[in-house]
Amino acid sequence: MRGLLLTGLLMLSVASAASPRPTNLLFILTDNQPASILGAYGNPDVRTPNIDRLAQEGVLFTNAFAANGMCSPTRATLMTGLMPSQHGVHNWLDDTMLKDWPQDWSAIAEFRTLPLTLANRGYHTAMIGKWHLGQPWKPAVGYQHWVTFTDGHTIDFWDNTVIENGETYALKDTHTVDFFADKAVEFLEANGEKPFYLQLNLNGPYLNPPSNFGPARNRHYQSYLQDDFPSFPRVAFNSNVAHQLVEPETPEFLVKKHLEAIAMHNDHETMANVASQNTVVDDAVGKVLATLEANGLAENTLVVFSSDQGNFYGHHGLWQHTVVTSPPNLYDQAMNVPLIMRHKGKVVAEQTNTNLIGQYDLPVTILDYLDIDVGLEDSPGRSFAPQLQGENTSWENEVFYEQEETRGIRTPRFAYWQRVSNTGESELYDLRVDPEQHHNVIDQARYEGEIKQLQQRLDTFFEQYSDPKYDLWQGGIAKGSVIRVDMFRKLYGPDWSPRTELLEPFVE
């Protein structure tokens, strides 16, 4: 009997060795957090010790770029691996329109997504935090565990209504970043034996009004009030934005945002607010990472830390997003996002990777790293999973991005932007001599050859990776909302309008 028991245990051990538990995925996504505001990326003013330590324990990517300058499009890209001109989300989804959209509407339900792919392969999937990709009331696109709030974006860090697996209740006197971190801890501690994918979408630091204007209520604000913040530019307010305030065609929504930006600009209390919200986010990251350690999960969990897109905090005289200028801009300050990946014992620690990485590359890479042999259909994404082990792999060192009437290509030397006809002029920045992108050299004859080549690469990419239905450069539509509806109606006729419809969901 004892011999049979030992044989059974040996067979079980062999089976376990042959079929190891799949790697867990913890994907921490912050809101409007530029790489430049983190200590790991050289910021001397903002205290982010937990994120800095995560970077030391894994790979720090210095040239990761968002696909768009707004949160809903970038979140759609991170779920699908598709560009906005493929998935159709080109701008933020306006919360005031939720009541007019189908009750079950998800902006990306018709596509294969990262959570659905993992759920179909035995992962326990959870989305905790900001969603902003459609209706928030029940789990979407493959998620099983669901905690979010009823607003798409942050209006107040302290007074919200949250939805937890179908139950809706008021959240008072708790910072939502702390709340979402606590819910992530609960999920990790209760997960059990199944591999998990936790998408933790922290709704901070945010950096936009009203929550980030003037004095803050959080625990770190007072400790920042005496700081000088030399990393926050003190420059004149942006002239493009100032001129819009007197132009009759400027949408009322944008006028309000421009006036808010004027109030924030060069305001010391706002700087302390912004810095403190980043440290609140860092606390949350530290809490969740500590839970991995305490529960023996760190060695079997790939941790991905990134942001949906960056944000201006004084650079170029701007606050808020890329859409505040007319036409929209694609400055590095707003497009360069943090990206850190750690898997203890598997990913080579203390790496700095300078390759140009697009957000569309990330979901493809995650699936490859997790040994899930399935493609994200029509994605331009390229896997950089081998680079996590320190391998030198061939890499086309360029990324593409778009913000409605502005499209761009970023290479190690150049940032080139093109505009739809009659909406603005092209721009070129030579990053070798002008890394801060202050001088547009598009009209300098010595760059004619480079401009022609960059234009060709840009055209080729979008010809291949655009769906005519959602290609705004060819009269296509946008899902949900855009800010400058009248501009597109001038281009494509009075009947042009964003469209929000229920489409057949993707089924694997």
Side-chain angles (χ1 to χ4, degrees):
M1 183 69 180
R2 183 178 178 184
L4 289 174
L5 178 60
L6 289 173
T7 300
L9 290 172
L10 179 61
M11 292 176 65
L12 180 62
S13 176
V14 171
S16 298
S19 303
R21 175 173 168 163
T23 301
N24 305 311
L25 173 62
L26 168 60
F27 192 155
I28 304 173
L29 187 71
T30 61
D31 195 14
N32 299 348
Q33 187 174 51
S36 65
I37 210 163
L38 298 173
Y41 287 87
N43 189 289
D45 302 325
V46 181
R47 296 185 285 277
T48 54
N50 295 298
I51 298 170
D52 300 348
R53 184 170 61 253
L54 181 67
Q56 293 169 356
E57 295 171 348
V59 185
L60 176 78
F61 292 87
T62 59
N63 284 313
F65 283 83
N68 183 283
M70 298 292 280
C71 60
S72 298
T74 54
R75 290 161 189 266
T77 294
L78 289 168
M79 293 291 97
T80 65
L82 302 176
M83 292 292 291
S85 288
Q86 294 177 293
H87 57 58
V89 186
H90 287 278
N91 209 311
W92 100 122
L93 298 179
D94 186 351
D95 289 351
T96 65
M97 301 175 71
L98 277 173
K99 63 184 183 304
D100 303 320
W101 295 339
Q103 187 70 11
D104 294 336
W105 182 64
S106 163
I108 54 173
E110 71 267 34
F111 303 112
R112 175 189 287 279
T113 63
L114 182 63
L116 183 64
T117 300
L118 294 180
N120 287 345
R121 284 152 184 82
Y123 278 74
H124 186 195
T125 59
M127 201 294 298
I128 298 175
K130 170 178 171 172
W131 178 234
H132 214 176
L133 277 174
Q135 297 287 5
W137 309 107
K138 63 182 184 180
V141 295
Y143 288 113
Q144 300 152 350
H145 185 88
W146 187 259
V147 183
T148 188
F149 57 177
T150 54
D151 290 310
H153 69 284
T154 298
I155 300 171
D156 186 340
F157 282 119
W158 293 92
D159 185 4
N160 288 276
T161 302
V162 299
I163 306 161
E164 183 172 0
N165 296 315
E167 180 187 358
T168 301
Y169 57 92
L171 180 68
K172 303 287 186 183
D173 297 323
T174 299
H175 197 293
T176 42
V177 168
D178 292 334
F179 171 77
F180 290 136
D182 289 341
K183 288 299 173 181
V185 168
E186 289 179 13
F187 173 82
L188 291 171
E189 291 180 338
N191 184 68
E193 294 302 313
K194 292 184 70 174
F196 65 81
Y197 161 36
L198 169 55
Q199 183 70 53
L200 176 56
N201 289 348
L202 298 173
N203 66 312
Y206 193 57
L207 274 62
N208 290 322
S211 54
N212 294 75
F213 168 61
R217 183 178 164 189
N218 70 66
R219 58 188 170 275
H220 294 293
Y221 174 71
Q222 290 296 327
S223 69
Y224 276 109
L225 264 181
Q226 303 307 312
D227 294 354
D228 292 331
F229 305 110
S231 66
F232 286 60
R234 272 81 160 180
V235 297
F237 192 69
N238 186 275
S239 60
N240 178 295
V241 175
H243 287 148
Q244 289 181 57
L245 287 170
V246 297
E247 294 172 353
E249 63 268 25
T250 303
E252 183 179 345
F253 172 82
L254 271 182
V255 171
K256 178 176 180 292
K257 290 298 172 188
H258 296 339
L259 293 173
E260 290 172 339
I262 289 173
M264 297 176 78
H265 194 55
N266 294 333
D267 177 63
H268 185 265
E269 290 181 331
T270 293
M271 295 177 190
N273 184 329
V274 166
S276 67
Q277 303 296 359
N278 278 274
T279 304
V280 171
V281 167
D282 187 76
D283 289 347
V285 172
K287 181 181 294 186
V288 175
L289 295 180
T291 303
L292 290 181
E293 296 285 352
N295 289 273
L297 297 169
E299 282 70 31
N300 197 41
T301 301
L302 173 66
V303 178
V304 179
F305 174 88
S306 194
S307 177
D308 50 3
Q309 76 283 319
N311 219 68
F312 299 108
Y313 51 100
H315 305 79
H316 300 278
L318 295 168
W319 288 75
Q320 306 181 61
H321 293 297
T322 56
V323 295
V324 296
T325 58
S326 180
N329 67 80
L330 296 169
Y331 288 121
D332 279 7
Q333 179 58 41
M335 303 304 290
N336 183 205
V337 293
L339 177 59
I340 300 168
M341 300 179 75
R342 186 199 80 178
H343 186 179
K344 286 194 169 182
K346 302 291 177 62
V347 167
V348 179
E350 297 185 81
Q351 285 191 71
T352 298
N353 188 308
T354 61
N355 285 341
L356 287 157
I357 304 294
Q359 271 181 332
Y360 46 80
D361 297 320
L362 192 51
V364 173
T365 298
I366 290 171
L367 291 175
D368 185 19
Y369 185 86
L370 298 178
D371 290 325
I372 295 176
D373 187 17
V374 60
L376 292 171
E377 289 80 356
D378 302 318
S379 171
R382 311 154 294 176
S383 174
F384 55 88
Q387 298 174 29
L388 298 174
Q389 270 80 37
E391 295 182 24
N392 289 322
T393 58
S394 60
W395 191 255
E396 192 70 28
N397 214 15
E398 60 187 16
V399 293
F400 298 87
Y401 35 38
E402 58 177 321
Q403 185 66 64
E404 296 150 292
E405 66 267 40
T406 304
R407 284 176 172 171
I409 176 175
R410 175 67 157 75
T411 70
R413 181 177 173 184
F414 292 109
Y416 172 69
W417 314 339
Q418 186 191 15
R419 267 63 185 244
V420 172
S421 297
N422 301 315
T423 65
E425 301 300 320
S426 298
E427 298 185 40
L428 177 71
Y429 296 93
D430 186 344
L431 304 170
R432 186 173 61 185
V433 296
D434 179 28
E436 300 299 319
Q437 298 173 295
H438 292 307
H439 306 290
N440 176 16
V441 295
I442 195 70
D443 292 328
Q444 294 188 18
R446 63 194 177 105
Y447 291 106
E448 285 181 3
E450 286 88 351
I451 293 169
K452 183 177 180 180
Q453 183 190 70
L454 292 166
Q455 180 66 63
Q456 185 178 40
R457 290 156 74 179
L458 189 64
D459 290 344
T460 298
F461 179 85
F462 281 100
E463 284 171 5
Q464 181 173 358
Y465 297 111
S466 292
D467 181 340
K469 180 178 180 180
Y470 299 125
D471 186 352
L472 293 181
W473 284 47
Q474 305 298 328
I477 63 167
K479 295 177 179 176
S481 50
V482 296
I483 292 177
R484 298 179 176 91
V485 175
D486 289 343
M487 182 203 70
F488 286 107
R489 287 177 177 160
K490 288 180 181 178
L491 289 172
Y492 304 128
D495 294 333
W496 188 94
S497 184
R499 189 183 307 165
T500 303
E501 56 189 344
L502 281 176
L503 299 173
E504 285 295 318
F506 176 86
V507 177
E508 187 172 9

